[in-house]
Amino acid sequence: MVPSRKRVKLPPWLEVAKPRLIPLLLATTLGGMALTEGWPLSSPRLVCTLGGGALASAAAGVLNCLWEQDLDARMARTSGRALPSGRLSPTSAFIGAIACTLTAAMLLVSGVNCLAAGLSLLGLCSYVLLYTALLKPRTPQNIVIGGVAGAIPPLVGAAAATGHIGLGGWWLFALVMVWTPAHFWALALLLKEDYRSVGIPMLPVVKGPVVTARAIHRYGWATVLLSGFGIWALPSGGIFYGMMLLPFNGRLLQMVNRLGSDPDSLPGAKGLFRWSILYLFGICLLLVLSRTSQASLFDQQVWSLVTQLQTG
């Protein structure tokens, strides 16, 4: 059993919405916004985008729980969840998911634009149908392909800000895609016996910890390398972003290398999993901070200093 902190018991209707996943999805949505010339958004548009995104994510979480309720009932770790334990009926959960989906669509169409609404619903469908139903039970590469669902919020943010998806939005989409395997496989190392017990072919179950740690190492380095392109993806504040990025990447590589040297270490996997969450939050925070006037002034001062040094 993996040690974990005691969690607050949520009401059944809220538990199935997986609210702990929503803040990071909204953070990447904000990151997608900050990468556009449309930043900052008006308050109504911002609220509608984040509200619609949160509701779409909640709907996806509920539908995921509905699809996997039989699997959850067979695992000790998840058998006490709202649906397998009977604390919430499948009918009530399904009605809630439909209500969240319709409300999200209404908010995004009326308060933002159709592109943002369509992308948000695409993210919902890709999580439930592509990842949960199709890939997760069939291939150890499920999260590599299925990670597209978690990478769509930056596109929603970019679309909300400008009505189209620019280079910055696609860059953050790609970054989340390459970040996801290392993040999720670290968790899968902790839960591999649970996955094995129900026949889910996660990479640690199929290939073992050593191969998984090597894969995490590759994707960790890919994340670090790709994160640097944010310097050019940002409309302004790129130098500030690049300098503030260094400690985040240094810590990520440290955690990845530590796990690589001891693939069977549960504390190493747990530490990497937790840090990877903070890492992505940090990237999105840096993107927002890089669009401030102070960051732009910092960039100007750096360029001025470089020019002075070049001219002697």
Side-chain angles (χ1 to χ4, degrees):
M1 179 67 68
V2 178
S4 61
R5 294 172 294 180
K6 186 176 181 180
R7 290 185 172 182
V8 176
K9 196 70 173 178
L10 299 174
W13 57 269
L14 183 58
E15 178 188 314
V16 293
K18 300 189 175 183
R20 295 180 181 90
L21 303 181
I22 295 175
L24 189 55
L25 296 174
L26 297 185
T28 59
T29 304
L30 284 170
M33 295 175 184
L35 285 158
T36 71
E37 294 289 355
W39 178 265
L41 280 70
S42 65
S43 295
R45 180 171 288 248
L46 181 64
V47 169
C48 286
T49 304
L50 297 182
L55 287 169
S57 175
V62 175
L63 293 172
N64 170 267
C65 287
L66 280 167
W67 188 274
E68 295 191 328
Q69 59 182 310
D70 291 336
L71 282 177
D72 287 343
R74 291 158 53 194
M75 291 192 290
R77 179 179 60 88
T78 57
S79 60
R81 288 179 175 175
L83 287 170
S85 68
R87 290 184 291 117
L88 183 69
S89 72
T91 301
S92 297
F94 183 72
I95 292 173
I98 297 301
C100 285
T101 302
L102 293 176
T103 306
M106 182 177 64
L107 267 177
L108 291 166
V109 169
S110 62
V112 189
N113 56 53
C114 291
L115 179 58
L119 287 168
S120 188
L121 295 179
L122 177 63
L124 186 161
C125 292
S126 61
Y127 178 63
V128 176
L129 299 177
L130 178 64
Y131 172 67
T132 303
L134 181 63
L135 296 172
K136 186 176 179 179
R138 289 177 173 83
T139 171
Q141 296 298 313
N142 46 33
I143 199 61
V144 176
I145 307 166
V148 67
I152 285 179
L155 304 184
V156 175
T162 62
H164 65 273
I165 303 169
L167 176 64
W170 285 115
W171 165 75
L172 190 53
F173 170 87
L175 180 63
V176 176
M177 281 287 291
V178 299
W179 165 89
T180 299
H183 162 73
F184 193 83
W185 283 334
L187 176 63
L189 283 169
L190 299 172
L191 305 178
K192 62 180 181 294
E193 296 307 323
D194 280 345
Y195 289 129
R196 181 178 285 114
S197 69
V198 294
I200 298 295
M202 291 298 177
L203 190 63
V205 174
V206 176
K207 297 293 185 179
V210 173
V211 172
T212 302
R214 289 174 184 164
I216 287 173
H217 187 269
R218 290 194 297 271
Y219 277 97
W221 270 99
T223 300
V224 166
L225 294 174
L226 188 56
S227 68
F229 284 89
I231 296 172
W232 296 279
L234 278 160
S236 63
I239 297 176
F240 172 84
Y241 165 84
M243 294 187 68
M244 295 298 103
L245 178 66
L246 293 175
F248 286 90
N249 279 341
R251 180 59 173 165
L252 181 62
L253 290 178
Q254 181 187 39
M255 300 294 288
V256 165
N257 290 333
R258 182 179 298 171
L259 182 63
S261 65
D262 187 5
D264 293 309
S265 170
L266 293 184
K270 190 173 186 178
L272 174 58
F273 172 70
R274 289 180 172 175
W275 173 251
S276 66
I277 297 172
L278 295 176
Y279 176 87
L280 193 56
F281 268 121
I283 293 291
C284 295
L285 177 61
L286 287 181
L287 293 174
V288 172
L289 292 177
S290 296
R291 297 305 311 279
T292 62
S293 57
Q294 292 87 345
S296 296
L297 179 60
F298 177 82
D299 278 22
Q300 292 171 11
Q301 291 173 339
V302 170
W303 278 118
S304 176
L305 178 60
V306 170
T307 302
Q308 291 176 13
L309 291 174
Q310 288 177 340
T311 57

